[in-house]
Amino acid sequence: MSLGLRHMGPPCKFCCYHIFTPQSACFLLNSSATLLGKLNPCPEQALKPMGTDNNHARRNHQRPHFNLEVFQRFIHKAASGSMPLFTAAVLAVIWANVSPYWYREFWNTPLYFGIGGWNIEKTALNWINDGFMALFFFTVGMEIKREFLVGELASLKMALLPVTAALGGMLVPMLIYSLFNHGEPTFKGWGIPMATDIAFSLAVLSVFGKGIPVGLRIFLSALAIADDLGAVLVIALFYSSGISIMHLAAAVGLVACLYIANRLWVRNILVYIVLGIGIWLAVMGSGMHATIAGAITAMFVPARGRYDTDMFTEDAKKMLHRFECAETDCKESMMLDQEHLEAVLDIEMACRKVETPIQRMEYNLHSWVAYLILPVFALANTGLVIGEIDFTAAFTQPVTIGIILGLVAGKPAGIFLFSFLSEKILKTPLPKDVGWKHMAGVSMLGGIGFTMSLFISGLAFTRPEFASYAKVGIICGSLISAIAGFIVLKLVSKKPKAHGDG
């Protein structure tokens, strides 16, 4: 007999729990105090619907209490997603070298999607990069929105250090790459070394367990999310071509519909899915990269439930009282007591009403993105035919040098320098128990730029040789950064006490 509780959205600091039908009504009643004790007011959900007292809304919208357990689950899920990604990248290299022809032919297979006389034709590779990755950017957009609402970017004071560090981590690598590629046909790849891969960087950090301060993990997560925001803006502004005013106007109109749906308190997820698909089609036709539609749509997914936590707690208490019965009167199966069954269904409905759409969608999509979309992306984009590359020539190419130095030297230098300036000039304190040696190590992990770097390189280069040189630079630069960061953090991490030590 058990009462199943799970947090709907590990990264989220919201308070809702999804209640599954228990086998025992008596256990549900005995667990009610524990259940309701876990429900803390949510700043975002505590806001009343549009048109209600704004002063009440402002009073409730305070900095959230940091939930360490929830954050640790987020770290675990983000880090665990690195293994399928790494496996897919290795398989891509093996496949590309065992059978280069079939690797290219498979991913260049044309696929059609159409209704009536209207159809879209893309290669399998383009469907992945334009379609699957739009879902990835959608989850990135929801993470960014969550962090700005209730996370480490929720206030100027909280956001200054990671945002400043992310800015340095983008500018310095860009300058290093541009220095080596100025006047070259590869100059357009300046955005490649700007990105940080949150899955791989957190995976390396998770190796140290409790030997690394929790504040360092929080900093790296916030840094990576701010970095993702910068990457989204770079792609939207600098990696678009031939803007179509008609399609752009259609996209703007659909975004306006999203805004109206949000303001009218529409909580049906299907509405946002349909409008999101429409925006994706319009953005794709406008000349901007289609994946930007995912990030735009995410910004308008509601972050408030149908009613607030106080109302939910009141209703849940009333519903739980309906389970009161003498121990001998409680039925063994929920199905034998209609009143208990109806109470459970009412509680589940109440949970759905207090749960936020952004919370539900982020939780439901996370596994698909981590275990399917990103691995398939890596499988399609990481294939490097080693026999076709002259590595002596590759490591003398400006694009390869620029990417490696940008990731290995530029990223840590930018993150560390801008963090130092932020602490000295803007008086932003370092996270608790974190020193500058820790910051040096985590800055090096910022140079792991695998996923987003590969994505931007696909936008920047159409010539196969440039794309291959970029992959060499990304793989080498990310690997060196991971090893260097691991070594530094190993030297400064605390060794766990042996069992029995005082």
Side-chain angles (χ1 to χ4, degrees), residues 332-351:
E332 180 65 26
S333 171
M334 183 71 66
M335 298 299 294
L336 298 177
D337 193 312
Q338 186 63 29
E339 185 178 358
H340 289 173
L341 181 60
E342 289 176 0
V344 167
L345 295 175
D346 288 343
I347 292 172
E348 185 171 6
M349 185 61 68
C351 284

Side-chain angles (χ1 to χ4, degrees), residues 32-45:
S32 61
T34 304
L35 167 67
L36 297 175
K38 287 179 178 284
L39 296 174
N40 298 316
C42 300
E44 177 70 11
Q45 290 174 332

Side-chain angles (χ1 to χ4, degrees), residues 78-101:
S80 64
S82 65
M83 185 52 68
L85 187 61
F86 176 76
T87 303
V90 172
L91 289 175
V93 175
I94 294 172
W95 182 6
N97 286 275
V98 170
S99 181
Y101 174 79

Side-chain angles (χ1 to χ4, degrees), residues 76 164 257 350 365 436 467:
H76 174 72
T164 304
C257 291
L365 279 174
W436 286 110

Side-chain angles (χ1 to χ4, degrees), residues 159-418:
L160 264 180
L161 183 63
V163 169
T164 304
L167 181 63
M170 290 185 284
L171 290 178
V172 178
M174 179 194 73
L175 291 174
I176 289 176
Y177 182 92
S178 301
L179 182 66
F180 283 92
N181 289 268
H182 181 69
E184 300 287 339
T186 53
F187 180 76
K188 195 177 180 183
W190 56 266
I192 296 172
M194 294 173 63
T196 295
D197 191 298
I198 188 170
F200 281 128
S201 56
L202 286 177
V204 175
L205 206 58
S206 67
V207 170
F208 298 98
K210 294 182 179 179
I212 289 294
V214 173
L216 195 64
R217 293 183 172 90
I218 297 171
F219 170 78
L220 180 58
S221 301
L223 165 71
I225 289 172
D227 192 277
D228 283 342
L229 176 59
V232 169
L233 293 175
V234 165
I235 291 168
L237 297 175
F238 301 103
Y239 289 95
S240 302
S241 59
I243 301 298
S244 166
I245 300 300
M246 183 180 71
H247 286 91
L248 192 60
V252 171
L254 290 169
V255 169
C257 291
L258 271 181
Y259 175 78
I260 292 170
N262 183 291
R263 301 299 291 181
L264 290 179
W265 210 246
V266 175
R267 292 298 176 267
N268 190 330
I269 288 176
L270 184 61
V271 172
Y272 297 91
I273 292 174
V274 171
L275 288 173
I277 293 172
I279 292 170
W280 178 76
L281 292 169
V283 170
M284 183 168 56
S286 72
M288 296 177 67
H289 198 270
T291 52
I292 299 303
I296 294 172
T297 303
M299 294 297 110
F300 295 92
V301 176
R304 288 183 287 182
R306 291 183 184 274
Y307 55 56
D308 63 30
T309 308
D310 292 337
M311 188 183 299
F312 169 75
T313 305
E314 267 183 45
D315 288 350
K317 284 178 180 177
K318 292 175 184 176
M319 295 170 194
L320 286 167
H321 281 308
R322 290 158 63 182
F323 285 92
E324 291 181 357
C325 59
E327 285 203 27
T328 54
D329 293 340
C330 282
K331 304 294 189 295
E332 180 65 26
S333 171
M334 183 71 66
M335 298 299 294
L336 298 177
D337 193 312
Q338 186 63 29
E339 185 178 358
H340 289 173
L341 181 60
E342 289 176 0
V344 167
L345 295 175
D346 288 343
I347 292 172
E348 185 171 6
M349 185 61 68
C351 284
R352 289 186 179 278
K353 288 181 179 179
V354 76
E355 182 187 23
T356 68
I358 194 171
Q359 180 184 3
R360 193 183 318 148
M361 294 184 80
E362 188 177 358
Y363 178 79
N364 290 336
L365 279 174
H366 184 274
S367 294
W368 288 99
V369 170
Y371 300 112
L372 177 65
I373 291 175
L374 289 181
V376 170
F377 168 80
L379 190 63
N381 288 273
T382 318
L384 192 64
V385 184
I386 296 174
E388 296 179 358
I389 299 176
D390 180 353
F391 283 93
T392 303
F395 286 109
T396 61
Q397 293 294 319
V399 59
T400 313
I401 297 172
I403 292 173
I404 292 177
L405 289 181
L407 292 174
V408 176
K411 265 289 185 179
I415 293 172
F416 188 88
L417 176 62
F418 275 60

Side-chain angles (χ1 to χ4, degrees), residues 66-83:
F66 181 71
N67 190 324
L68 180 59
E69 183 184 354
V70 169
F71 176 76
Q72 287 174 333
R73 283 200 295 268
F74 166 58
I75 291 290
H76 174 72
K77 291 199 76 172
S80 64
S82 65
M83 185 52 68

